[in-house]
Amino acid sequence: MVLSVENVTKSFAGADGATPVLRGVDLQMQAGETLALTGESGSGKSTLLHLVGGLDVVDSGVIRVNGQDITEMDDTARAALRRSEVGVVFQQFNLIPSLTVAANIAFQARLSGRHDPTQVAALAKALGLTPHLEKYPEAISGGQQQRVAIARTLAARPRLVLADEPTGNLDEATAAEVLDQMLALVTETGAALMVVTHSQAVADRMSRHVHLSQGRLA
Amino acid sequence: MTLTVFTALLSHWRRNWLQFFALIAGLALATALWSGVQAINAEARASYDAAAATLGEGQFDQLVPRAGGTVPQDTYVALRRAGWQVSPILEGRLDADRGRVRVLGIDPLTAPGTMAPVAMNADADLGAFLEGELVFANAETADRLEGQIPQRILIDEGIAPGIAVTDIGAAQRLLEADGQLSRLTLARVQPMGLPPLSAVAPDLTRQPAQDAGANRLTDSFHLNLTAFGLLSFAVGIFIVHGTISLAFEQRRGMVRTLRALGVPLRTLVVLTIAELVVFAVLAGAVGVALGYVMASVLLPNVAATVQGLYGAQVAGTLQLRPEWWVSGMAIALGGTAIAAAGALWKIAHMSILESARPRAWSVASGSGATRLGAVALGLFGLGAGIAIWGQGLLLSFALLACVLIGAALILPLMLRSAVGLAERLSTTVIWQWFWADTRQQVPGLSLALMALLLATAANVGVSTMVSSFRVTFVDFLDQRLAPELFVQIEDEARSAEVETVLRNEAREVLPLLSVETEIAGVPSDLFGVRVGPTYRENWLFLDRSGDVWSQVADEDAVVVSEQLARRAGLWVGDPVRVAPDVTLPIAGIVADYGNPLGQAVMSETLFRSIYPDQIATQFGVRTEDPEALTRILLDDLGLPPAAVIDQARIKAFSLSVFERTFTITGALNVLTLGVAAFAILMSLLTLASLRVPQLAPVWALGMTRRDLGRLELLRSVILALLTTLLAIPLGLLLAWVLLAYVNVEAFGWQLPMYLFPGHYAVLSLFAIVAAAVAALWPAFRLSRTPPSSLLKVFANDR
Ligand SMILES: Nc1ncnc2c1ncn2[C@@H]1O[C@H](COP(=O)(O)OP(=O)(O)O)[C@@H](O)[C@H]1O
Ligand SMILES: [Mg+2]
C-alpha cells in the first residue's frame, strides 16, 4: 500500500472561529494506481493533497505513506519524506527561479540521491524540453514550466506522485499532451498518481475517481 | 485636486510603514553622523583655541615685557582703549603646604577663542568665576590647594597637573600682585588702523605664537574627521537611495493611474518633490537632534583628543549651534535630492502606457551590475588621472570620491563573480542552489552591501589614519619635546649668563640659534644646533643618508624639513644653498608639523661662523630635575614664569590624553557599522516578501524551514565577508589618499601611513557581526513562515 488515509480531519482558523475543511477522510492507494480527485472549488482538495504530501499537518487521523505514519513526523522527517517518498506538481510556480531548467529537473533527484543523468536527459526529451535546458524558468512558457515540474518529479522516482490541477493553467491541447506524458511516465516507473482536477476529461483518464464534498470523500 | 493627489501619493507610505521608517531613519542617521562629527569637530576646535589662549601656548601671539618683570595693568588698559584685542594673563607660583601650584589668572571675557576658556560646569557660572570665587584645578592640584585659598575649588581633570585656573582679579589677590600682569595674549584678528604697539606699549615686545606643532596636527585631524563625517553621510544616503527607489518603483502603478485620470505630470513631479522635502525636513530635524545627543555622549573623549595639546576644555554643556541646524538641514535636503534624482527622473520620463507592474527592486537594479561596473571603471580611470596629473585640495577630494563611488559601484559585479565562481566549484545540489540563489539576491542587497562596504572602508581608513596620526604624534613629541625644559629669554644681553647657569645645572644644554631667511626660494627658518645625544637619539628622519648628525656636526651637511624639501623639490643628497656662500647636501629630511615655514638645521659652529652676531635666546635643557632647575631660573635669575616651559609635563599630559582618541574613533566605527547594519536589515525586510516564492519550491521539495533560515543567515554573513574583504584594501587606499594627497594639499606635509592588521581583523569581525545581527531577525522570521504562506505560492485561486 503506497498511501493510506484514515479518518483525517483538518480545519482552518477563520474570522468566525475554526472552519472545518476535511471532516474525516479515508482513502487508500496501491502502487501503479491512478486516481482523480474532484470537488467544488474550496472543497479541500488542495488541503488533502498538502496533508498527504507532508506539506501541512492534520488535526486528527492518520496518514501512512509507504507504511510510514507521517502524522507523527517532525519537520525534519517530513522534509525527508518530501525529498524521497513523494513528488508534488503544483498549479504554478513550481520551479526554483535561480536555477536553470536542467538544474530544476535534476534538483529533487539529486536531493534524494537518485540522480541518473541519462534518465534526466530522456525525460527532458520525452517532454520536449531539450532545447530549453540551459534557460531559466522565467524564460519559458507556463506549459513548459509545468512540464519541467513533471520531469523533476518523475526524475526523483517517488512512489507517490501528487499533482494539483497540473494542467489547470494550460490550454486544452497542451493540457492533453502533458497529461499523456505524465501517465506514460507514471506507468513506466510504477508510481501511484493522485491528480486533483475539475476537468471531466482528465478524470476520465484515471483508473479511479473520488469526489470530495462536505469534507468527505465519495 | 492637489490635496486629493497628495493624499493618494502619501497613502503609499501608510500601507508601507516599514519603507517610510527606513527612509526617515536612514536620512536621520546619515544627518546625525554628519552633524555629530561636525559638532564634535567644532566644539573641539573652539575648546582648543580657548585653552591655548588660557595657557598662553599655541597659536596666539603674546605681548611680554621687553626687560622681564611684569606688565602694569595700565598698559593693558591703554592697549584696550587703543582698540587692541588683548587679554590679560597673570601667572605665578603659590607655595601651598602640600606642594607648589602654578596659578593662572585669566579674563574669560576678553580671552581669544570662541568660548570661555574654562569648563563652566553646571554648578559653576561665569558670574561666580568673574567674581573671583572659583578656582579650577585637577583633583591632585585641588588637593594641594585645599584649605589654602579662600576660593571654592572645582575639580576639572582637563586642566594640566599643577595648574590652578582662576579669574585675573583673584589671581592678583592670591599672588599679591595687585595691578600686575605677566603677559597679554593677542587675538589673531585685530581691528584695522590701530596705533602701532611701539607707541601704545613701548615696553612690551611681541612674541610669536609658540606651537609645538600640535596645532597643525590638530587641523589635519579635523580635516580627516570631516572627511569621515562625509563618508558616514554617504553610507546613509545609500540607504535613502535604496528606499526611495523601491518606493517609487512600487508606486509606478499609482503614478500611471493618476496620469491616466488626467493629473498633469508637472503636478505629480512637484507634489513628489514637496513630499520629499517634507520627509527631508522631518528626518533632518531628527538627525540634527540625534547628532547632538551623539556628540554630547562622545564629546568628553573628543575634547580629550585635542585637550592633550595644552589642556583644552570642551564646555561641559554642549551648545546646539545654529550652524549645525543649517548645515544638518542642508545636508539632509541635499542628500535626499541626490538619492531621489534618479527616481524623479524616471517618473518624469515614464510613458503613460508603460507596464505599471512593479518590477522587483532586485530585477530593476539587477540588470545593471555590468553597467555599474563599467561606470566604476570610468571613475577609477578618472581617479587615476587625478592622481597622476591633478593638484589641489578640491581635486584630492574628487579623487577620494572617485575611488569610493567606483568601489561601491563595482561591488555587485565583484560579488556576482565571486558567488558565480563558488557556484561552479560546488558539487552538492544544496550548495549549488545556495550559490545560485545568493547570486540572485545580490542585486537586491547591493545597496545595503555598498553601504556596508563604505562603512567598513571608512572605518579601516580612519582607524589607519588615526593610528598613523598617533604614532606620528608620539614620535614627533618625543623628538621635539625631548628636552625636559625649554627656556626662552627676551633679553639677548642675558644669554651668556643664562647659558652658564644652565650648563652648570643641566645634563645637556641645547642652544637654539635661528634666523629667518629664504632657502631655495622658500621662506624658512635656519637653525644652528649643538649636535649631541638628544638629537642623535630622538630625531627621526623621513629619509636619510648615512649618519646624519655626524655629517651635520662635521659641517658637511644639513637637515631640512619636509615642507621645505617638498616645496623646493629637493630630497636627500641634493645640494641646497642655505646661506649666501654655503651650499651643502641634504643628509636627512625631518617631519615638521608645527610650521608653515621651511626649516633647515646646521651645526652651531657653522651657524656662528655665518652669523657671528646672532645670540641664542632659546635653550633646550636636559635635566633630571626640571622642578629644581625651574626654581633656579625663576628665583635666582629672575626669569618670568612664561620663559620656562616644562615640556616633559606637556608631553606626558598630551600623550596620556591623546590615547583616549581611540575611544571616539571606536564609537564612530560602531555607529557607522550600525547604520550599515540598519541598511542590511531594511533591505532584507523589504526583500522578505519577494523571498517566499523563491523559497517555497525548495521547501516543498524537501528542505526544512529551519534549514532555509540558517542558509539565509549564512548568505548574509558570506556576502558581508566578501564585502569586507573588498573593504579592507579600499579602506587602506582611502587612508593613503587622505594621508598622501589630501593632507599634503591641505598642510604641505605627508603623514606617514602605518598598517594595523589587528585593527582590521577586529573591524572585519564587527562588520560581519553587524551583518549577521541584521540578518538574524529576517532569517528567524523566515524559519517561522507558516506552511500555508508557502503553499499559497502554488495556489491559483483568485
Ligand atoms: N491556510 C489557510 N488558512 C485559512 N483557510 C484556508 C487555508 N487554506 C485553505 N483554506 C480554506 O480551506 C478551504 C479549502 O481550500 P482548498 O483546499 O484550497 O480548496 P480547493 O483546492 O478544493 O479549491 C477553502 O475554504 C479555503 O479558503
Ligand atoms: Mg486547490
Side-chain angles (χ1 to χ4, degrees):
Chain A
M1 187 113 50
V2 177
L3 173 70
S4 118
V5 177
E6 289 163 29
N7 200 21
V8 161
T9 67
K10 176 78 180 173
S11 51
F12 290 107
D16 34 77
T19 318
V21 175
L22 302 179
R23 304 160 185 263
V25 170
D26 295 289
L27 179 69
Q28 260 106 46
M29 282 185 78
Q30 311 289 344
E33 199 177 353
T34 60
L35 175 94
L37 174 61
T38 57
E40 305 260 298
S41 182
S43 59
K45 306 181 292 294
S46 297
T47 302
L48 177 59
L49 192 119
H50 294 157
L51 293 175
V52 168
L55 293 155
D56 209 343
V57 283
V58 299
D59 289 348
S60 70
V62 175
I63 298 176
R64 286 199 181 79
V65 175
N66 292 328
Q68 283 175 279
D69 182 354
I70 70 169
T71 47
E72 294 292 311
M73 288 178 173
D74 64 5
D75 239 22
T76 314
R78 266 186 283 119
L81 173 88
R82 295 199 296 273
R83 276 201 295 275
S84 32
E85 306 296 326
V86 294
V88 190
V89 179
F90 297 102
Q91 252 170 312
Q92 58 176 9
F93 297 126
N94 278 284
L95 306 186
I96 300 168
S98 54
L99 297 179
T100 60
V101 166
N104 262 292
I105 296 177
F107 192 83
Q108 194 179 0
R110 293 183 63 187
L111 272 184
S112 61
R114 299 198 196 111
H115 182 46
D116 174 359
T118 50
Q119 194 211 2
V120 168
L123 274 168
K125 188 154 178 264
L127 288 160
L129 293 169
T130 315
H132 308 297
L133 287 177
E134 291 314 310
K135 291 183 184 164
Y136 282 87
E138 68 199 18
I140 58 176
S141 72
Q144 286 163 340
Q145 286 183 15
Q146 285 308 83
R147 278 185 251 183
V148 174
I150 290 164
R152 178 183 68 192
T153 299
L154 298 175
R157 275 169 287 163
R159 299 282 306 280
L160 177 61
V161 175
L162 307 169
D164 193 347
E165 305 192 33
T167 58
N169 282 341
L170 306 182
D171 64 74
E172 224 167 289
T174 317
E177 200 184 316
V178 166
L179 191 68
D180 279 345
Q181 284 158 345
M182 191 152 72
L183 281 170
L185 290 164
V186 167
T187 313
E188 207 180 297
T189 57
L193 169 69
M194 183 197 293
V195 178
V196 170
T197 183
H198 51 247
S199 146
Q200 194 56 44
V202 172
D204 287 346
R205 305 280 307 271
M206 304 294 144
S207 58
R208 234 174 95 197
H209 184 174
V210 289
H211 187 81
L212 186 59
S213 165
Q214 308 286 314
R216 288 198 177 79
L217 283 181
Chain B
M1 176 180 83
T2 310
L3 192 66
T4 319
V5 175
F6 203 50
T7 318
L9 279 175
L10 286 179
S11 69
H12 171 83
W13 303 106
R14 211 174 45 232
R15 301 257 334 263
N16 296 277
W17 63 268
L18 191 66
Q19 266 176 31
F20 179 72
F21 177 67
L23 178 67
I24 297 294
L27 198 53
L29 283 175
T31 313
L33 276 173
W34 165 258
S35 54
V37 170
Q38 286 310 101
I40 288 166
N41 239 341
E43 282 304 295
R45 203 185 276 272
S47 67
Y48 173 68
D49 281 0
T54 315
L55 294 177
E57 321 283 357
Q59 69 273 64
F60 296 103
D61 286 3
Q62 318 249 344
L63 294 177
V64 296
R66 199 180 287 283
T70 57
V71 182
Q73 193 149 339
D74 298 343
T75 312
Y76 164 67
V77 175
L79 277 166
R80 288 292 308 186
R81 283 226 182 94
W84 280 90
Q85 296 298 300
V86 290
S87 182
I89 288 182
L90 175 65
E91 279 185 281
R93 278 173 302 113
L94 191 71
D95 286 309
D97 292 347
R98 266 155 293 179
R100 186 169 294 194
V101 173
R102 190 166 144 219
V103 172
L104 186 71
I106 55 155
D107 175 21
L109 296 181
T110 56
T114 22
M115 298 170 58
V118 176
M120 294 291 170
N121 299 315
D123 54 345
D125 61 312
L126 187 63
F129 187 84
L130 291 173
E131 296 283 315
E133 291 164 5
L134 297 180
V135 167
F136 288 92
N138 75 6
E140 189 239 348
T141 314
D143 222 36
R144 278 190 240 166
L145 285 173
E146 198 54 54
Q148 306 277 313
I149 54 170
Q151 283 85 354
R152 192 147 60 93
I153 305 166
L154 291 183
I155 308 280
D156 188 326
E157 285 307 328
I159 291 176
I163 292 182
V165 180
T166 185
D167 178 64
I168 190 88
Q172 283 175 340
R173 285 195 295 281
L174 282 173
L175 298 170
E176 291 164 10
D178 220 25
Q180 293 173 50
L181 303 170
S182 302
R183 53 198 159 93
L184 306 173
T185 49
L186 277 159
R188 216 171 299 144
V189 183
Q190 296 287 344
M192 295 208 292
L194 291 176
L197 273 178
S198 52
V200 191
D203 294 337
L204 299 186
T205 175
R206 184 172 185 151
Q207 198 177 69
Q210 293 166 354
D211 183 354
N215 218 343
R216 306 222 109 213
L217 272 177
T218 311
D219 276 348
S220 155
F221 189 66
H222 283 311
L223 182 73
N224 288 316
L225 211 57
T226 303
F228 186 77
L230 266 176
L231 269 174
S232 311
F233 182 71
V235 172
I237 288 308
F238 269 87
I239 308 175
V240 178
H241 177 79
T243 38
I244 290 182
S245 316
L246 177 64
F248 280 38
E249 198 62 56
Q250 292 184 341
R251 275 205 309 205
R252 282 156 67 96
M254 184 196 291
V255 168
R256 200 190 65 151
T257 309
L258 287 171
R259 286 193 58 196
L261 291 174
V263 179
L265 183 61
R266 253 183 58 119
T267 311
L268 269 179
V269 171
V270 167
L271 285 177
T272 310
I273 291 175
E275 174 196 68
L276 287 172
V277 168
V278 170
F279 290 171
V281 168
L282 188 69
V286 175
V288 173
L290 217 61
Y292 170 74
V293 171
M294 188 183 103
S296 59
V297 170
L298 294 179
L299 214 48
N301 298 310
V302 174
T305 313
V306 277
Q307 199 171 55
L309 305 177
Y310 292 116
Q313 276 303 299
V314 173
T317 49
L318 177 66
Q319 295 137 30
L320 196 49
R321 292 156 185 258
E323 306 94 272
W324 299 343
W325 279 108
V326 173
S327 86
M329 290 321 250
I331 203 125
L333 284 164
T336 311
I338 295 169
L344 276 172
W345 192 88
K346 263 195 216 154
I347 285 199
H349 290 82
M350 193 177 96
S351 150
I352 210 169
L353 294 175
E354 203 175 308
S355 158
R357 202 162 60 120
R359 285 174 300 159
W361 183 16
S362 55
V363 182
S365 50
S367 60
T370 325
R371 213 176 51 232
L372 288 180
V375 176
L377 287 183
L379 283 170
F380 288 149
L382 190 63
I386 293 175
I388 296 168
W389 295 294
Q391 244 169 19
L393 189 58
L394 220 62
L395 275 182
S396 303
F397 274 111
L399 169 61
L400 212 58
C402 284
V403 169
L404 283 171
I405 299 173
L409 294 185
I410 210 163
L411 180 69
L413 193 64
M414 299 199 63
L415 288 177
R416 215 176 61 176
S417 312
V419 171
L421 183 70
E423 187 183 346
R424 277 195 298 284
L425 292 180
S426 54
T427 47
T428 69
V429 60
I430 299 282
W431 286 109
Q432 275 169 6
W433 163 76
F434 174 78
W435 292 113
D437 188 55
T438 303
R439 191 158 43 92
Q440 206 182 37
Q441 297 311 305
V442 167
L445 286 172
S446 59
L447 273 165
L449 291 172
M450 285 177 195
L452 183 69
L453 177 78
L454 289 185
T456 313
N459 286 343
V460 168
V462 169
S463 83
T464 303
M465 189 270 292
V466 171
S467 302
S468 298
F469 189 84
R470 176 172 71 159
V471 172
T472 309
F473 185 76
V474 170
D475 287 350
F476 182 73
L477 285 180
D478 279 345
Q479 174 172 323
R480 293 303 161 95
L481 300 182
E484 285 75 17
L485 290 180
F486 188 78
V487 181
Q488 176 156 28
I489 56 174
E490 292 308 317
D491 188 357
E492 289 188 351
R494 303 193 65 190
S495 175
E497 179 196 352
V498 169
E499 190 177 346
T500 312
V501 171
L502 288 176
R503 214 175 306 187
N504 289 336
E505 303 292 336
R507 179 155 48 92
E508 195 183 353
V509 182
L510 306 162
L512 201 56
L513 291 151
S514 71
V515 289
E516 279 185 31
T517 173
E518 210 177 82
I519 298 174
V522 179
S524 301
D525 284 325
L526 176 64
F527 289 96
V529 303
R530 187 172 295 169
V531 176
T534 299
Y535 287 103
R536 290 181 193 277
E537 283 162 19
N538 291 298
W539 282 49
L540 296 170
F541 295 97
L542 298 177
D543 199 5
R544 63 190 291 171
S545 80
D547 178 358
V548 177
W549 289 115
S550 295
Q551 295 171 55
V552 171
D554 294 346
E555 304 181 13
D556 287 340
V558 291
V559 168
V560 302
S561 70
E562 184 189 5
Q563 277 98 315
L564 174 58
R566 283 189 194 282
R567 272 197 261 165
L570 298 169
W571 209 248
V572 171
D574 295 339
V576 56
R577 210 170 82 160
V578 287
D581 298 321
V582 185
T583 301
L584 287 172
I586 297 172
I589 311 264
V590 290
D592 175 23
Y593 307 108
N595 212 328
L597 296 179
Q599 227 184 60
V601 179
M602 57 169 56
S603 77
E604 182 188 0
T605 47
L606 181 58
F607 187 93
R608 286 194 197 277
S609 71
I610 305 170
Y611 301 101
D613 298 338
Q614 286 292 324
I615 290 168
T617 54
Q618 299 178 316
F619 299 90
V621 183
R622 304 304 308 266
T623 172
E624 268 78 45
D625 191 353
E627 291 240 351
L629 189 53
T630 306
R631 222 170 304 134
I632 292 171
L633 290 168
L634 301 191
D635 297 348
D636 299 355
L637 283 175
L639 295 181
V644 184
I645 298 168
D646 186 346
Q647 306 208 103
R649 195 137 69 171
I650 291 179
K651 187 167 87 179
F653 186 55
S654 301
L655 288 180
S656 75
V657 189
F658 198 78
E659 289 301 310
R660 280 185 266 164
T661 316
F662 288 91
T663 323
I664 177 118
T665 318
L668 286 176
N669 283 345
V670 170
L671 274 171
T672 24
L673 279 178
V675 173
F678 177 77
I680 294 176
L681 175 65
M682 284 300 141
S683 301
L684 289 173
L685 288 181
T686 39
L687 286 175
S689 59
L690 298 174
R691 287 299 281 153
V692 175
Q694 291 165 355
L695 293 174
V698 189
W699 168 76
L701 291 175
M703 297 264 296
T704 60
R705 289 167 293 160
R706 206 176 49 209
D707 286 343
L708 290 175
R710 279 190 198 144
L711 287 176
E712 206 71 353
L713 187 61
L714 182 67
R715 169 177 302 109
S716 298
V717 169
I718 286 175
L719 288 176
L721 181 71
L722 288 172
T723 305
T724 307
L725 288 182
L726 189 63
I728 291 174
L730 178 65
L732 294 181
L733 191 63
L734 167 73
W736 182 75
V737 172
L738 276 174
L739 297 176
Y741 273 82
V742 174
N743 217 65
V744 172
E745 293 299 345
F747 304 107
W749 40 264
Q750 183 172 351
L751 209 56
M753 180 165 150
Y754 299 88
L755 295 183
F756 303 87
H759 287 192
Y760 309 149
V762 171
L763 280 172
S764 309
L765 194 70
F766 276 7
I768 292 163
V769 168
V773 168
L776 212 54
W777 165 239
F780 177 77
R781 243 180 35 161
L782 177 72
S783 71
R784 290 298 170 93
T785 313
S788 59
S789 305
L790 291 161
L791 287 169
K792 235 178 256 164
V793 170
F794 308 116
N796 183 27
D797 22 48
R798 260 156 289 174

